[in-house]
Amino acid sequence: MIMKYPALKPACNVRWTLAGFGLALVSLLLVFQLLPDGFNTKSFHISSPKDSEQSTLKNTEGSCKGSATIPNIVHFVHLVKPSPNPTFEFPFRQFIAIYSAWYYLQPETINIYTNVEEHLIEETIKRSTSPWTKAVSKLPKVKVSHHTPPDHTTSGEAIPKLPNQSDFVRTGILREFGGIYLDEDAYVLRDLAPLRRMGFQNVVGYQLNGQICPAVILSTPGNKLMEWYHALQHKAFNPNRWALHATDLLSTLAMDFQEPDDQVLVLPHNTFFPYYWRGNDLKPICQVHDKDLDAPDAVTNKGTQNLTEYSENFHLYGPEALESWKTDLRSSYVLHGWTSGIETEFNDQERDAMFRKFGGITPDFVLAQSSNFARAVYPAFKHALDNGVLDGIEYNQSQP
Ligand SMILES: *[C@@H]1O[C@H](CO)[C@@H](O)[C@H](O)[C@H]1NC(C)=O
Ligand SMILES: *[C@@H]1O[C@H](CO)[C@@H](O)[C@H](O)[C@H]1NC(C)=O
């Protein structure tokens, strides 16, 4: 069956540098003051992703000293317990993560790297009993490939756990191919093209504790920071100290590489990591709310195309808007879900209180939109439903 997916709305084509952007904003404000009411910003040309993709291939316009464009290819890593009969079971939330990347980014390919041997991949996917594995395997542009993860560092230290091995796969594929690396619990919320085209070799984000989190990385192939990250990881790895080779190393390099000024852009935490893995910062992601606890959206002003229309129903929202359980995620590009935290930070009782009748991340949980997570990923899941992506796949609405 050939499925036709509608094209996305054109992404805003940002080719300005940050400085240029500030300048443009100031001049825009000045222009607005001089304009008569009813001036329509539609007269600014907003090009489609296609236009801009072509023109930025060899384009240096607007970028600082850098002319880098990060390729629009997505990488996930999915390592499974080695076995003669490996299983490849995607839960619902991983389908959502992969589909969101597919839907918002329209990437050239979505690569899923696994330790399952190449010749076993097809059969492993076929053998899966999970409807979500089937749904992922039917998506156009998804490519599952074998990648041998290292089980020792170059100095002979054992890397026994799959999540640790996966860290080394991440840098290996980014240095080789470049692109957009996403942890399997990183949910894209909008197109990343503007960030890919800012002229930086690497684009990363702070997490709430002020460190840089390696769960979302945009990168050009073969750049220096990534080469060094890949190499130094072996040196930094300490089996007894969590993530020295991952979070601590990336945080260190991203600061040390500020000097060559096109190497790395570090974005604020709301960009990719609006929440954090510790209890109080984690709960607001998946906490299910009652209808009677329903809060208004933080900000509801609509229509930035036409100043007259915008100003007619305009409300200013003060700090009270932040008291709503609904996080305003409109400035976020990715929602990292801290799934491992949801498993380790709460006991069964606390998790039950969080997910209530849904029990976990299920289609029903997302469709209810009674949590920040559900509200954020709903448009992508709705798109999948409306466009027949799940047609012919038997699944249960309450199956995680
Ligand atoms: C902006 O909206 C107003 C009110 O709907 C309309 O009268 C006006 O023509 C619009 N301006 C343009 C330039 O489209
Ligand atoms: C390896 O991964 C496990 C599971 O996520 C984690 O508990 C452990 O701290 C990691 N080890 C290192 C060295 O980061």
Side-chain angles (χ1 to χ4, degrees), residues 38-40 42 306-309 312:
F39 174 76
N40 187 347
K42 267 182 192 143
N306 178 323
L307 180 57
T308 311
E309 284 180 4
E312 260 162 21

Side-chain angles (χ1 to χ4, degrees), residues 51-118:
D51 290 351
S52 43
E53 198 70 69
Q54 273 152 15
S55 60
T56 46
L57 281 178
K58 49 186 190 309
N59 164 59
T60 54
E61 179 201 336
S63 27
C64 280
K65 287 183 187 148
S67 57
T69 296
I70 292 167
N72 193 17
I73 50 182
V74 173
H75 309 287
F76 289 97
V77 178
H78 189 85
L79 303 185
V80 302
K81 211 163 140 220
S83 137
N85 292 308
T87 52
F88 209 82
E89 308 291 341
F90 283 123
F92 174 65
R93 61 181 166 73
Q94 279 172 10
F95 163 71
I96 290 292
I98 294 164
Y99 192 79
S100 298
W102 185 87
Y103 171 57
Y104 289 109
L105 306 180
Q106 300 280 298
E108 286 163 39
T109 47
I110 296 186
N111 297 303
I112 302 175
Y113 296 93
T114 180
N115 49 348
V116 174
E117 293 301 332
E118 196 77 52

Side-chain angles (χ1 to χ4, degrees), residues 88-89 125-134 399:
F88 209 82
E89 308 291 341
I125 291 173
K126 273 211 193 103
R127 188 164 2 101
S128 171
T129 55
S130 155
W132 312 117
T133 306
K134 289 196 179 79
Q399 185 173 349

Side-chain angles (χ1 to χ4, degrees), residues 369-380:
Q369 294 185 75
S370 51
S371 61
N372 281 307
F373 181 93
R375 283 163 47 81
V377 305
Y378 175 81

Side-chain angles (χ1 to χ4, degrees), residues 45-341:
H45 173 67
I46 301 177
S47 52
S48 74
K50 279 247 158 60
D51 290 351
S52 43
E53 198 70 69
Q54 273 152 15
S55 60
T56 46
L57 281 178
K58 49 186 190 309
N59 164 59
T60 54
E61 179 201 336
S63 27
C64 280
K65 287 183 187 148
S67 57
T69 296
I70 292 167
N72 193 17
I73 50 182
V74 173
H75 309 287
F76 289 97
V77 178
H78 189 85
L79 303 185
V80 302
K81 211 163 140 220
S83 137
N85 292 308
T87 52
F88 209 82
E89 308 291 341
F90 283 123
F92 174 65
R93 61 181 166 73
Q94 279 172 10
F95 163 71
I96 290 292
I98 294 164
Y99 192 79
S100 298
W102 185 87
Y103 171 57
Y104 289 109
L105 306 180
Q106 300 280 298
E108 286 163 39
T109 47
I110 296 186
N111 297 303
I112 302 175
Y113 296 93
T114 180
N115 49 348
V116 174
E117 293 301 332
E118 196 77 52
H119 68 279
L120 291 177
I121 289 176
E122 215 183 306
E123 157 195 341
T124 303
I125 291 173
K126 273 211 193 103
R127 188 164 2 101
S128 171
T129 55
S130 155
W132 312 117
T133 306
K134 289 196 179 79
V136 167
S137 69
K138 279 174 67 179
L139 282 180
K141 297 184 188 173
V142 167
K143 210 175 135 222
V144 183
S145 339
H146 172 80
H147 195 290
T148 308
D151 54 8
H152 283 83
T153 65
T154 45
S155 56
E157 188 80 67
I159 313 171
K161 296 234 166 83
L162 292 178
N164 315 140
Q165 295 184 1
S166 164
D167 294 338
F168 288 77
V169 176
R170 161 174 58 208
T171 54
I173 55 188
L174 277 179
R175 70 176 260 283
E176 187 171 353
F177 306 112
I180 301 161
Y181 168 84
L182 298 168
D183 263 9
E184 288 186 291
D185 57 347
Y187 306 87
V188 174
L189 302 179
R190 60 199 284 196
D191 196 3
L192 302 178
L195 306 184
R196 290 191 293 106
R197 297 193 190 115
M198 290 189 84
F200 288 87
Q201 306 286 346
N202 298 279
V203 178
V204 295
Y206 284 112
Q207 61 186 22
L208 259 166
N209 77 341
Q211 285 193 294
I212 292 163
C213 180
V216 178
I217 303 178
L218 286 65
S219 188
T220 57
N223 74 72
K224 195 169 172 186
L225 185 154
M226 193 50 66
E227 293 285 357
W228 287 28
Y229 182 14
H230 185 65
L232 288 168
Q233 215 169 198
H234 289 270
K235 207 177 154 81
F237 184 79
N238 177 336
N240 305 315
R241 298 271 310 275
W242 179 71
L244 283 189
H245 65 285
T247 311
D248 295 19
L249 177 57
L250 178 62
S251 302
T252 305
L253 287 170
M255 289 303 132
D256 291 347
F257 272 91
Q258 286 299 314
E259 185 70 45
D261 59 12
D262 71 340
Q263 275 291 305
V264 56
L265 175 67
V266 187
L267 293 164
H269 80 89
N270 60 297
T271 317
F272 303 144
F273 309 102
Y275 303 96
Y276 194 42
W277 63 270
R278 286 197 186 136
N280 282 344
D281 302 309
L282 185 59
K283 220 181 202 167
I285 309 181
C286 287
Q287 178 65 55
V288 170
H289 297 267
D290 284 333
K291 274 272 180 281
D292 57 340
L293 289 175
D294 221 11
D297 284 346
V299 180
T300 53
N301 295 318
K302 294 269 185 304
T304 48
Q305 294 295 311
N306 178 323
L307 180 57
T308 311
E309 284 180 4
Y310 183 70
S311 59
E312 260 162 21
N313 300 302
F314 181 71
H315 298 282
L316 277 178
Y317 290 83
E320 72 283 358
L322 301 175
E323 286 161 22
S324 164
W325 65 262
K326 294 179 177 175
T327 315
D328 193 344
L329 291 172
R330 288 180 299 172
S331 67
S332 297
Y333 283 79
V334 175
L335 166 63
H336 184 264
W338 303 106
T339 308
S340 59

